[in-house]
Amino acid sequence: MILRSVCCWVALVMSANMLHGADPAAPAIDANTRSFLKTYCVKCHSGSEPKADRNLQMLAPELSDDDTLQLWQDVVDQLNLGSMPPEEAKQPSDTERQKAIEKITGPLREALRMRHSTDRQTVFRRLNRYQYNRTVRQLLALEDLLADPTDLFPPDATEEGFDNIGASLVTSDFLLSGYLEAAQTFIDQAAATGAKPRPQSYHFRAPFCPTGNRHDGQDVRREYQHIRKNTSDQGGFLWIDDFEQGVPHAGYYTMRIKAAGIYREYPYDVRMVGVRKDEPLRMAIVAGSPEYGFLGERTTSDRKLAEFELPDNEPEWLEARIWLDEGFHPRLTFPNGPNRTKPLRKPLVLKYPDHFPTFIREYLVAEGPINDETLTESLTRRVSKEGATTDPNQLTTAGTSRRFNTRDGWATFFSEYNGPRVRVFEIEIEGPHYEQWPPPSHVALF
C-alpha cells in the first residue's frame, strides 16, 4: 500500500514539474548602461582572450539565464568596489559610476525576485525528510519507534535557512530508492506476526561492562560500578555486556536501576571539574543498537528515553517505562558529569597533591620531595619505553613509568579521585508489555 502510494506521489511530482507556464518577460539592462560598458569596459573585456575571462562585448541585456545574471552581477560588484576600470584606464565620473550601479542593481533584484516567485501559485512539493518521517509514524501508530528509516536520505536542500521550500525540494533516483527502502522498513516495523511475546525478566549486578584502562579504582565487584564521565567521551556509557544483543522483541519495557550520585560536593575547584555542586547529579537511559557501533561510544542510533535526579550517596531504586525496538540496548549515562575526566589528572595532581599520595609515589615521584617542581618535571618528562633518553626519535609523553597509562595506573589515580560519579548497584529489565495485541501499528496497517 505504502509502496504504491510512493510511486503515485512520484508521478504527481513529475507531472507538476511539467505544468509550469511560460516565463514572464525577463528584466533587461537599459541602452544607456550598455553604452557605459562599451565606453569603459568592452575594450579590455572582449575578443578571443578577454581580461579575467569576462567577455562583455556580447553580453545580453535580458536577465533571462543564470550565466547572464552572474556576469551582470560581476560587473556591478566591480563597480561597487571601485576596482574597475583599472587606474590606468579611462575613468567614469562618480556620478556616471553611481548611475550605472543603480541601473544594473534594479533589474538584477527584479530578476532574482521573479526567479523565487511562484506567481502567486502554490508549488506542488514533496514532504521533506522530517515531515515524511513524522507523517508515516502517525499514520502507522509508530511514534515510539527508535530506529529512523530515513537516516540514509540525502539532506534536504535549504533556502534562506528553511528546508521545506517547495522549489528547493528536488527528487533524485537515489532519494526515490531511499523512500522505497524506508517504506519497507516502516511496514516491517508495523506488522506484528506470530503470537503475542511473553514478558521476560532480566537481572544484572556489577560489573555490568568491561572497562579496560578506563577502570575506576573505586568499583567493587558484585556491589557497584561507576559512571564517571559525560557521554561526549567514550567512557560515558555504562552498558550491560551480557545483554549486548538487546531486547528480543519491540515493545514497552520496565527498567529499574538501583543507583546513587557520589561526591556531588567534591573537594576540588568547580572551575576545573565543571560540575555544579548545588545541583543533583543526574543519570539518563540512552538506547542504542550494536548494529550501529560499539555500545561504549555514541552512535547515530542513540535515543534518550528517560532521565533521573539521583539521591546523594545512599542508593535508591529508580524506574522508567521505555519503548525499545528489537535489538536495542538500554545504556546508562551521566549527562551532567565532567565532560572528560582523564585530562583532569595533571591539573588535579598539581593543585591537590595531598589527595593523590599513592598515585604520586607509584607513578610520578618515587623518591625525594613532592613539590611543584618535582611534580611538574615528572608530568612533563619525555621518556622512551626503555627509560630516560635524549634521542628525539624515541621520546614520548608516556610519563615516568611504563605503567603510567595502563589499567592499574588509571585505577590508582581514580581510587583517590573524589570527583562526581554515578554509582550503579543493580539493573532490572522486564518486558515486553503491550496494551493490546495485535498492536495499534498492525491494526493501522491492515
Side-chain angles (χ1 to χ4, degrees):
M1 178 177 65
I2 293 179
L3 297 179
R4 188 163 58 251
S5 299
V6 170
C7 293
C8 292
W9 165 81
V10 172
L12 285 170
V13 170
M14 294 175 67
S15 299
N17 289 337
M18 296 171 63
L19 292 176
H20 289 299
D23 290 334
I29 306 299
D30 64 30
N32 289 335
T33 306
R34 300 200 303 276
S35 177
F36 174 92
L37 259 64
K38 185 175 181 180
T39 301
Y40 297 105
C41 307
V42 169
K43 182 179 180 180
C44 294
H45 296 282
S46 61
S48 59
E49 296 183 0
K51 293 290 183 68
D53 292 327
R54 299 290 191 273
N55 192 331
L56 306 182
Q57 188 172 21
M58 304 301 293
L59 179 57
E62 295 82 11
L63 305 178
S64 57
D65 61 83
D66 289 342
D67 289 341
T68 303
L69 269 171
Q70 184 60 57
L71 198 47
W72 278 109
Q73 184 65 56
D74 289 345
V75 169
V76 79
D77 286 345
Q78 294 302 320
L79 291 174
N80 272 310
L81 292 170
S83 55
M84 289 293 162
E87 293 181 359
E88 66 275 11
K90 182 180 179 180
Q91 297 292 321
S93 66
D94 291 343
T95 301
E96 287 180 296
R97 181 188 297 272
Q98 187 59 40
K99 188 173 182 179
I101 290 172
E102 293 173 358
K103 290 293 186 178
I104 298 173
T105 301
L108 278 175
R109 286 178 175 169
E110 178 62 16
L112 291 173
R113 186 197 66 78
M114 291 175 62
R115 283 179 171 270
H116 287 86
S117 172
T118 62
D119 197 22
R120 299 186 179 182
Q121 296 182 20
T122 300
V123 176
F124 189 85
R125 66 180 182 86
R126 66 170 175 84
L127 300 176
N128 65 17
R129 170 182 165 179
Y130 174 80
Q131 292 167 332
Y132 171 79
N133 188 23
R134 298 310 310 169
T135 298
V136 179
R137 286 172 180 268
Q138 292 172 8
L139 287 173
L140 297 181
L142 289 172
E143 286 90 344
D144 293 318
L145 181 68
L146 300 183
D148 181 1
T150 69
D151 60 0
L152 295 180
F153 283 17
D156 291 310
T158 60
E159 186 173 329
E160 298 185 10
F162 294 93
D163 64 358
N164 60 350
I165 305 299
S168 299
L169 292 171
V170 298
T171 306
S172 65
D173 55 349
F174 181 78
L175 177 60
L176 177 57
S177 175
Y179 269 104
L180 297 175
E181 292 183 15
Q184 186 62 58
T185 301
F186 277 121
I187 291 173
D188 293 341
Q189 295 289 340
T193 58
K196 178 180 179 180
R198 300 182 62 178
Q200 301 182 51
S201 297
Y202 308 88
H203 183 260
F204 306 96
R205 299 185 67 91
F208 305 100
C209 60
T211 54
N213 74 339
R214 302 192 304 270
H215 180 67
D216 192 301
Q218 296 187 30
D219 289 347
V220 178
R221 184 174 180 82
R222 305 303 299 172
E223 290 192 32
Y224 48 75
Q225 188 173 7
H226 293 90
I227 313 173
R228 65 167 185 262
K229 302 177 189 175
N230 194 4
T231 54
S232 62
D233 189 34
Q234 63 180 8
F237 289 99
L238 189 150
W239 71 99
I240 307 169
D241 200 44
D242 291 339
F243 200 58
E244 185 177 4
Q245 298 307 311
V247 296
H249 304 282
Y252 289 102
Y253 288 79
T254 300
M255 186 169 181
R256 302 178 69 241
I257 309 108
K258 187 178 182 182
I262 307 299
Y263 305 124
R264 175 172 65 85
E265 298 186 16
Y266 50 90
Y268 315 123
D269 188 339
V270 68
R271 293 171 296 183
M272 297 177 66
V273 180
V275 177
R276 295 183 59 167
K277 300 180 182 182
D278 58 347
E279 293 183 355
L281 301 182
R282 306 182 70 86
M283 177 183 68
I285 301 174
V286 176
S289 170
E291 292 185 1
Y292 287 76
F294 175 47
L295 290 171
E297 299 175 355
R298 283 182 170 181
T299 74
T300 56
S301 68
D302 290 353
R303 301 290 185 270
K304 186 168 76 170
L305 305 180
E307 189 168 317
F308 310 93
E309 290 187 358
L310 293 171
D312 289 336
N313 304 317
E314 293 300 322
E316 295 180 5
W317 281 100
L318 306 165
E319 182 176 309
R321 183 174 182 266
I322 58 176
W323 173 276
L324 293 170
D325 291 357
E326 179 180 341
F328 269 65
H329 182 119
R331 298 166 293 168
L332 302 180
T333 68
F334 187 6
N336 66 337
N339 187 40
R340 296 174 71 90
T341 306
K342 283 188 176 182
L344 292 174
R345 178 177 57 171
K346 288 184 179 180
L348 287 178
V349 168
L350 288 172
K351 187 168 183 177
Y352 303 98
D354 293 344
H355 290 244
F356 305 96
T358 304
F359 175 70
I360 289 173
R361 279 307 186 192
E362 289 189 9
Y363 294 92
L364 298 179
V365 185
E367 299 177 350
I370 298 174
N371 51 45
D372 290 346
E373 183 178 351
T374 58
L375 285 174
T376 300
E377 189 276 335
S378 178
L379 285 167
T380 58
R381 184 184 305 162
R382 291 178 174 268
V383 300
S384 71
K385 292 182 178 180
E386 291 72 27
T389 179
T390 57
D391 182 354
N393 296 320
Q394 299 294 325
L395 297 180
T396 73
T397 55
T400 58
S401 168
R402 293 182 62 182
R403 297 187 301 123
F404 191 70
N405 285 319
T406 63
R407 182 180 188 273
D408 292 341
W410 288 113
T412 302
F413 169 77
F414 284 116
S415 67
E416 299 177 309
Y417 165 76
N418 292 329
R421 290 172 168 86
V422 174
R423 180 173 290 177
V424 183
F425 293 77
E426 298 177 60
I427 300 175
E428 295 179 353
I429 302 172
E430 184 180 350
H433 304 295
Y434 303 97
E435 296 179 356
Q436 68 178 69
W437 190 264
S441 61
H442 185 92
V443 176
L445 180 62
F446 293 102

